[in-house]
Amino acid sequence: MGVRANGVTSPENIRNVVLVGSSGSGKTTLVEALALATGAVNRAGRVEDGTSLSDYDEIEQRKHRSVQLSVVPVRWHGVKINLLDTPGYADFVGELRAGLRAADAALFVVSAADGVEGVGGATRALWEECASVGMPRAIVLTHLDTARADFEELRRTCQALLGGASAENVLALHLPVYGPAGADGHRPATGLMELLEQRVADYSGGERTWIDPAPADRSLADQARERLIEGIIAESEDETLMDRYVGGEPIELATLVTDLERAVARGSFHPVLFAAPAAADRRHGLGTLELLDLITAGFPGPAEHAVPARRLADGSTAITLRCDPAADLAAEVVRTSSDPYVGRVSLVRVFSGTLRADDTVHICGHGAGAEHGDDERIGGLTAPFGREQRPMSEAVAGDIAYVTKLGHARTGDTLSATGDPLLIDPWPMPEPLLPTAIRAHGKTDEDKLPQGLARLVAEDPALRVENNERTHQLVLWSLGEAQRDVALERLRSRFGVEVDVEETRVPLRETFAEKAGGRGRHVKQSGGHGQYAVCEIRVEPLTEGSGIEFVDKVIGGAVPRQFITSVEKGVRAQAERGVSSDNPLVDVRVTLLDGKAHSVDSSDAAFQTAGALALRDAAAGSRMALLEPIALVEVRVPDEHLGAALTDLSVRRARILGTEPADPGRTLIRAKVPESELVRYATELRSLTHGVAQFTREYLRHDPMPAQLAEKVRDRSPAARA
């Protein structure tokens, strides 16, 4: 089979499987159980005490939950299975997308104890995302031994929510068999009734043994077996199979198994399996061996995963990468992290060619530096295994490895041969929509903050840093509070940067709501040359987007020509600072009507000051309008939460533009919402809809703020206090 000590020589012997599911569904525990069943570890760790294979980050150990992608390779029947464990919390969807990018198939892990909530809208949205790229999927129901577990209800829920119109292709391959009730009345799951083979895999002794089913178990499984066979036949490439089955002809077991594996591999049939971890003194957890068999026999290898890319040397020609170790190198950095001892570490999925230790590769990226190119020599090449890093000499097409010393590589970048650069098309990433204003805690932190933030964003593309020129704030944009808190904690623990969080401000503006006149008089005498300048102006509002327009209508040289531009400079400088608040003045025409000058004491500086005073004087006697930014917001919300979402938007002073059906069971809401009402909307919408709604925002324009709110803003402004 060609398996080496530190890797594999053929993509046929590799399976890349990502485990996805909500927080607490049991993904990490399942990875531990599979590692134990294959002999990759001698004992399973625990998420609760921070000893699991996936919990190798100090933040994960402290919080007892996954916050980043981890890879655990195991071997089963000569096949290397890279298990990619993803965080279940919605804030860390960037890590989840990295797992999807590196994988060729997905296991949706759902807790039977959580009932219908375990397969809510977030899981359904992810299911649909995998379906859009043709990724094969299976469902694993966990926590079978909990008192609340109702596997039959949950299986039906999975079929209805995830199967949709094709619910017949989401079917169980086996059913749990329960032992006698204990003193508390609870019946533990002891085995699995194999529906096709009609035998029981008994796990009660800690190892899988085969026994004949009890009559009661057989009768319960007959109907499920019939549905399963019909579902398999419906996906068969043999069009005569259904007629033969309906006509009463028995279908050979080997034919059913072969058709099942083919349907799973092409993503048209989604089996439901059951799994539970082994007891502390046992090796095989219930369902672990069946799951490993499905992965190796039913899930596709890397060669069946088509990845689009572009060849840059001849004008960005589109190509499809071949999963061939002998082809040109094309690999993608699916995530990056920082190690205190070795520096930046890149997790790389090799899609084509072979990546070798000490190779020189070309790095190409997306975004602002799109198609940038650097040649770098990679350092060590290691196989990830939880906290451990095992040296590798090479990683062939289809495999996953860690690469060190790629100083310029960021998540999403492509590694290719130096003479023929390639760029792999990016996987879409969600837009971070939760802003948090931060500032350095001290002078030392201020010096280190830019570099620390740059490294955070390089590691996690779901983060964004903005230096807002209007509010003079440094804003960290994230997907939610949990991701933000982890990012700030990493700033402190990894990069030694302490930051303080402050109130996030939105960039307001102000304008005149009516015509006004103002007079600026700047006269001072303190010995020698004094300062003398007087000017009179008229201010009138203009349409949005007009900016500041300055008009000279001085008659008779009351203001000498050389000082006209001085008045304009003063007006524009004061407009930038604001007149009734500390927000810039926009969309007005300022007309210079008259003034006075002194032959000795007038100067450029004096008339600049007079121009500024005239504008402030006009504002003091006029009705001013404070303008706030308005965003066009689109919210995709499940129908059952539509009323709550609309009510919440109305409280946020939203103007609803309309609603329309979106995806099945969802409604799209379009609304204009003040940006000040959206500062925490990402978090509050998630709480309101249990994490299943999504929204986008786009700046539209600035509109007048309600008078009572505008007064509160002005009362807090430095200009008002002055």
Side-chain angles (χ1 to χ4, degrees), residues 65-84:
R65 71 181 181 195
S66 298
V67 300
Q68 64 184 32
L69 175 71
S70 65
V71 184
V72 177
V74 301
R75 297 184 185 276
W76 186 246
H77 297 331
V79 175
K80 179 183 180 183
I81 305 172
N82 289 314
L83 299 170
L84 297 109

Side-chain angles (χ1 to χ4, degrees), residues 97-311:
R97 298 285 176 91
L100 291 174
R101 183 58 151 179
D104 304 306
L107 286 177
F108 279 71
V109 183
V110 179
S111 171
D114 292 339
V116 176
E117 295 179 0
V119 281
T123 305
R124 179 172 55 192
L126 185 57
W127 180 274
E128 293 167 353
E129 182 174 346
C130 291
S132 68
V133 295
M135 178 174 285
R137 287 145 284 151
I139 301 169
V140 183
L141 301 184
T142 60
H143 297 161
L144 302 181
D145 287 339
T146 60
R148 294 178 295 153
D150 187 341
F151 73 87
E152 182 58 29
E153 176 193 357
L154 193 56
R155 184 194 61 77
R156 288 194 298 265
T157 302
C158 290
Q159 188 180 48
L161 290 182
L162 305 183
S166 303
E168 66 277 1
N169 62 9
V170 181
L171 296 168
L173 298 186
H174 43 245
L175 299 178
V177 173
Y178 290 89
D184 59 354
H186 176 58
R187 297 179 61 196
T190 59
L192 296 172
M193 174 69 179
E194 298 281 354
L195 295 180
L196 291 181
E197 299 184 5
Q198 294 183 294
R199 58 178 181 170
V200 172
D202 182 39
Y203 283 86
S204 59
E207 300 282 343
R208 182 176 67 177
T209 58
W210 297 103
I211 62 175
D212 293 330
D217 293 330
R218 183 185 292 273
S219 62
L220 287 174
D222 283 346
Q223 186 176 2
R225 183 175 190 270
E226 183 176 343
R227 287 198 304 266
L228 175 60
I229 292 176
E230 291 176 354
I232 295 172
I233 292 176
E235 298 296 331
S236 175
E237 297 175 354
D238 185 351
E239 298 179 356
T240 67
L241 203 57
M242 181 60 77
D243 293 335
R244 290 159 51 194
Y245 176 71
V246 173
E249 179 181 338
I251 308 300
E252 294 182 355
L253 177 62
T255 300
L256 292 173
V257 171
T258 299
D259 285 344
L260 169 65
E261 293 173 351
R262 289 174 178 170
V264 171
R266 66 173 177 263
S268 62
F269 187 90
H270 314 293
V272 179
L273 300 95
F274 302 83
D281 58 342
R282 297 176 180 179
R283 177 180 175 185
H284 293 153
L286 184 144
T288 53
L289 303 187
E290 284 75 12
L291 183 53
L292 289 166
D293 288 340
L294 174 74
I295 292 173
T296 54
F299 280 171
E304 299 175 60
H305 184 176
V307 177
R310 287 180 285 155
R311 192 176 296 278

Side-chain angles (χ1 to χ4, degrees), residues 321-344:
L321 299 175
R322 294 185 299 112
C323 187
D324 181 357
D328 293 338
L329 174 66
E332 184 175 14
V333 179
V334 296
R335 78 174 305 273
T336 58
S337 59
S338 297
D339 187 278
Y341 302 104
V342 299
R344 181 173 295 186

